[in-house]
Amino acid sequence: MPKLTVDGIEVEVPAGATVLQACEAAGKEIPRFCYHERLSIAGNCRMCLVEVAPGPPKPQASCALPAAEGQAIRTDSPMVKKAREGVMEFLLINHPLDCPICDQGGECDLQDQSIAYGKGNSRYHENKRAVTEKYMGPIVKTVMTRCIQCTRCIRFAEEVAGVEDIGAVGRGEDMQITTYLEHAIQSELSGNVVDLCPVGALTAKPYAFEARPWELRKTPAIDVMDAVGTNIRLDSRGRQVLRALPRINEDVNEEWASDKTRHAVDGLVRKRLDRPYIRKGGTLIEASWDEAFAAIKAVDAGASVAAIAGDLVDCETMYAAKVLCRNLGSSLLEGRQTGLDYDVSSLSAVNFNTTIAGLETADIIFLVGTNLRWEAPLVNTRVRKAIKRGARVFAIGPEIDLSYKVLWLGSDAALLANLPNELAEALTLAKRPAIIVGGGALKIEGIHGAALELAAKYNLVREGWNGFNVLHVAAARMGGLMLGYAQGAGVSALLGTKLVFALGADEVDWSAFAGAFKVYLGHHGDAGAQAANVILPGASYAEKAGTYVNLEGRVQMSERAVFAPGDAREDWAILRALSDVLEARLPFDSFEALRAAMVGEVPALGVEGLVDFGWSAPALASKPKGEIAAYPIKDFYLTNAVCRASPTMQQCSSEILHGGQAMLEAAR
């Protein structure tokens, strides 16, 4: 580990570190535009100049210069100050300087660094160049005249997202950043280029000119669009969430977020349920809370009561519904809406045991019935990182583009019990092998058992490593399993019940519950509400505090950003009020008391971080038959009620997935 001095401060840095990293280790701020910790080094902007001795008598780009033993680095010398002022002056030669009308204003790196390191005047008065706008789809808005060619967006698209849709054409002053074919970026992670852009060249199209950053209230929250548990920040003004941005969490999402996470928030104010409804004569009519509760009480259900949890529900809501059912004499709970009936006697056998971050270190990755790119985009980025370290990827299922090289073995589920020689040999020799079983496989009887047998045969679970993983796609799934929301035969075990509470459950085949009285507790007028006899308007994930458990068993807590619209209330409060009417009183009167009761019953839900489920593999049938014909997600952008209410997600679906030409032409 080389030792060097930065402005007289001695620091020791790991071998291979750059001078820029050494300066930061010494507590010195180094300006930069092109350098980013998670991308390859480009050395384009030259803003990170420092003086290094021994070395040539000129400033050097610290981002591309390796740190070496005995270097003396100056970050505050007159030479460095003059060099940075010159670089900034060059960068602003062609910049339009339209900060007052730029939608990046207030959070622009160029703006901040020009004040901190610029001269305050320019010696150049030639005409500025202008660049035509580029079309990059419904998510990314472009003003390419502002572009300083840092190439962060190009490197992100190629290295992280795995799509080569963005690139540079031309040379010198004629260089331009563009999508080669002038179409929408074909990536579910395209919105991240907006965060990466250090100027206002790439901004969020749905959020453009909506607000300035200092107008917004910022609330830490957890994303519910998939089971990854992306750490996000909800920016709101008044009673509306205007945008969602990722928070840094190295163990979960690093600093990325999927487009669905970022831009489905405009669906939070559309198609909302803001008052109770009762179905009379086949038609839903508005009602008061008392009338809605009375209609539920009038059902002669006895103990024939069940609760079905949707994909976006928090643990507190599920626990309140569980206690209500228990007080009514029932233990019928289910959260696997689409009929999956995998064994849940051991939670470790349905957990993502390798962990999201740990997947980067796997050397063999075996995908079984999962479209990682849609089901968990930020897990897919970890697979790409593992490949860069030398990992190989094998897969069973219909062939799709996962953005990296995969050896497809076919779609026959029986392959799991009789592996091809190449994969069998690779698993035998692997030091850190991992299998990922997805929803496309779990619906086939025997696959879960066969996967567990494979894990035992090839020693996937060993000291310091657990390579057995089940990939869930719903934010509520692992929390629901911890709370007992699983019956042996899935949703079919609830058929015949007289009273069903649907907790935001929109993916259930409600035609099978024709004889039941259905109470929908949710926030959007989606499929569940259309089938309900009574609708109780609840709060979305942005309108309530809650606990969520992601696919790797990580407990995370979210805060409330805004209040629910109209007469809608937080879900637990609705269930508490209903329990009095049903004479099955819930034993808590506040959210804090509810959470305390939940933690008392399931202590793991009270501690943020990974839950240790241990490891136990249940003995299951292990002779799968049939084809893995499809994956659970048919449309990445329209997977839940919030997304289906979002105009941005609808446009993405139409244009990116289904080739909607009308929107493309309108945008041009």
Side-chain angles (χ1 to χ4, degrees):
M1 296 176 65
K3 291 183 179 179
L4 57 156
T5 60
V6 179
D7 294 340
I9 303 170
E10 186 175 281
V11 293
E12 188 174 7
V13 296
T18 64
V19 168
L20 187 149
Q21 291 169 325
C23 293
E24 292 192 331
K28 300 296 182 179
E29 180 182 349
I30 303 297
R32 83 290 297 267
F33 292 113
C34 68
Y35 175 80
H36 192 277
E37 294 81 356
R38 303 184 198 279
L39 304 176
S40 61
I41 294 171
N44 292 336
C45 72
R46 320 306 288 180
M47 195 64 203
C48 64
L49 294 173
V50 295
E51 188 176 345
V52 182
K58 62 178 183 179
Q60 298 188 65
S62 60
C63 70
L65 184 66
E69 181 73 30
Q71 284 177 328
I73 301 165
R74 293 289 304 277
T75 68
D76 56 1
S77 67
M79 178 195 292
V80 171
K81 182 176 184 295
K82 182 178 180 181
R84 289 175 179 172
E85 288 177 349
V87 169
M88 182 59 69
E89 196 173 1
F90 276 122
L91 287 174
L92 295 177
I93 287 175
N94 284 311
H95 195 77
L97 304 178
D98 54 354
C99 301
I101 62 164
C102 175
D103 41 329
Q104 189 86 339
E107 46 192 4
C108 172
D109 291 349
L110 184 64
Q111 197 174 56
D112 295 341
Q113 292 185 39
S114 64
I115 292 174
Y117 302 101
K119 290 183 64 174
N121 57 45
S122 175
R123 293 169 288 174
Y124 296 91
H125 303 288
E126 290 79 6
N127 292 332
K128 293 178 180 287
R129 76 166 189 166
V131 180
T132 57
E133 306 311 341
K134 313 300 179 188
Y135 185 73
M136 293 191 179
I139 297 294
V140 182
K141 172 179 177 285
T142 67
V143 184
M144 298 312 294
T145 298
R146 300 171 185 159
C147 179
I148 61 171
Q149 287 96 36
C150 71
T151 69
R152 280 186 180 181
C153 55
I154 298 174
R155 285 175 283 149
F156 171 83
E158 182 177 346
E159 297 167 14
V160 180
V163 297
E164 297 184 355
D165 282 1
I166 308 177
V169 296
R171 301 181 67 183
E173 192 176 70
D174 295 326
M175 179 178 172
Q176 298 183 24
I177 307 296
T178 181
T179 51
Y180 293 118
L181 301 177
E182 288 274 338
H183 60 53
I185 304 172
Q186 305 292 301
S187 172
E188 56 288 333
L189 298 170
S190 65
N192 290 290
V193 300
V194 172
D195 287 350
L196 289 171
C197 184
V199 296
L202 304 177
T203 54
K205 186 176 288 187
Y207 172 73
F209 305 114
E210 288 290 329
R212 289 297 193 187
W214 55 84
E215 300 177 313
L216 303 175
R217 181 173 180 266
K218 301 168 178 62
T219 307
I222 302 299
D223 174 56
V224 298
M225 296 296 131
D226 57 28
V228 172
T230 301
N231 287 220
I232 59 173
R233 189 189 83 198
L234 295 176
D235 288 358
S236 57
R237 184 177 59 191
R239 301 189 68 164
Q240 183 175 352
V241 175
L242 295 180
R243 67 176 177 179
L245 297 176
R247 289 183 288 133
I248 296 176
N249 187 321
E250 299 294 347
D251 294 325
V252 182
N253 57 290
E254 298 180 291
E255 62 182 80
W256 315 127
S258 75
D259 291 347
K260 195 161 48 173
T261 297
R262 288 174 179 275
H263 295 297
V265 292
D266 58 357
L268 293 173
V269 294
R270 293 170 172 84
K271 299 184 180 178
R272 287 302 300 268
L273 300 172
D274 59 358
R275 65 201 67 187
Y277 288 85
I278 299 175
R279 189 176 297 277
K280 293 183 178 179
T283 303
L284 288 168
I285 62 171
E286 294 181 19
S288 67
W289 283 104
D290 289 340
E291 290 171 334
F293 287 169
I296 299 170
K297 182 176 175 59
V299 179
D300 184 17
S304 183
V305 180
I308 302 177
D311 291 350
L312 314 182
V313 190
D314 57 293
C315 291
E316 285 81 0
T317 297
M318 289 188 282
Y319 178 72
K322 175 182 179 178
V323 177
L324 179 60
C325 287
R326 187 163 62 202
N327 291 353
L328 292 170
S330 173
S331 61
L332 295 177
L333 308 170
E334 186 54 75
R336 299 165 296 177
Q337 299 182 73
T338 53
L340 300 179
D341 60 353
Y342 47 85
D343 187 276
V344 294
S345 58
S346 168
L347 290 184
S348 62
V350 292
N351 187 44
F352 201 90
N353 296 291
T354 302
T355 73
I356 296 171
L359 191 61
E360 295 180 13
T361 64
D363 51 8
I364 294 294
I365 300 173
F366 181 25
L367 308 178
V368 181
T370 176
N371 177 359
L372 265 185
R373 187 169 174 180
W374 280 8
E375 294 167 22
L378 297 180
V379 174
N380 206 47
T381 63
R382 303 284 186 160
V383 175
R384 290 185 55 81
K385 293 177 78 171
I387 291 173
K388 290 178 182 178
R389 297 184 180 191
R392 298 171 64 195
V393 181
F394 298 81
I396 292 177
E399 292 192 23
I400 50 175
D401 178 12
L402 291 175
S403 80
Y404 44 78
K405 183 179 179 180
V406 179
L407 181 58
W408 294 94
L409 305 175
S411 298
D412 188 356
L415 285 168
L416 200 60
N418 186 21
L419 295 182
N421 291 336
E422 185 175 359
L423 175 56
E425 182 179 348
L427 289 173
T428 301
L429 299 176
K431 294 181 179 179
R432 299 169 78 87
I435 182 173
I436 302 176
V437 184
L442 287 174
K443 63 184 179 182
I444 298 176
E445 185 179 354
I447 272 202
H448 194 192
L452 288 167
E453 279 195 1
L454 183 147
K457 180 178 180 180
Y458 293 99
N459 196 24
L460 266 61
V461 182
R462 57 188 74 170
E463 186 176 353
W465 178 257
N466 189 329
F468 186 83
N469 305 288
V470 168
L471 187 91
H472 300 294
V473 297
R477 186 70 73 249
M478 280 304 294
L481 295 179
M482 292 173 69
L483 288 166
Y485 273 75
Q487 304 296 322
V491 174
S492 60
L494 310 183
L495 298 178
T497 49
K498 296 180 181 178
L499 177 60
V500 177
F501 291 102
L503 310 177
D506 295 298
E507 318 307 325
V508 177
D509 179 10
W510 288 112
S511 63
F513 290 86
F517 190 90
K518 297 172 285 292
V519 178
Y520 181 78
L521 174 54
H523 40 78
H524 277 77
D526 207 75
Q530 297 299 322
N533 299 96
V534 170
I535 294 175
L536 305 178
S540 72
Y541 71 102
E543 297 151 5
K544 58 185 174 183
T547 302
Y548 299 92
V549 185
N550 76 349
L551 55 83
E552 60 181 349
R554 184 180 300 275
V555 177
Q556 302 184 110
M557 296 178 185
S558 183
E559 297 181 17
R560 180 177 62 193
V562 293
F563 289 94
D567 290 337
R569 295 293 182 268
E570 293 182 41
D571 302 21
W572 76 268
I574 296 172
L575 293 169
R576 169 65 185 84
L578 177 61
S579 71
D580 280 342
V581 176
L582 298 181
E583 299 177 0
R585 188 178 186 277
L586 298 181
F588 35 77
D589 296 315
S590 67
F591 180 77
E592 291 72 22
L594 162 60
R595 180 171 276 174
M598 178 183 73
V599 172
E601 193 167 318
V602 186
L605 292 175
V607 182
E608 290 191 276
L610 283 175
V611 177
D612 183 6
F613 294 117
W615 172 251
S616 60
L620 305 174
S622 57
K623 296 189 181 298
K625 295 180 181 179
E627 294 278 322
I628 301 175
Y631 300 110
I633 296 179
K634 302 297 186 294
D635 188 321
F636 171 75
Y637 298 100
L638 302 177
T639 53
N640 58 59
V642 178
C643 293
R644 290 188 283 268
S646 165
T648 303
M649 293 298 98
Q650 291 173 11
Q651 187 175 351
C652 287
S653 173
S654 173
E655 182 176 330
I656 298 174
L657 299 185
H658 304 295
Q661 291 299 314
M663 291 183 179
L664 179 60
E665 295 302 325
R668 287 178 172 172

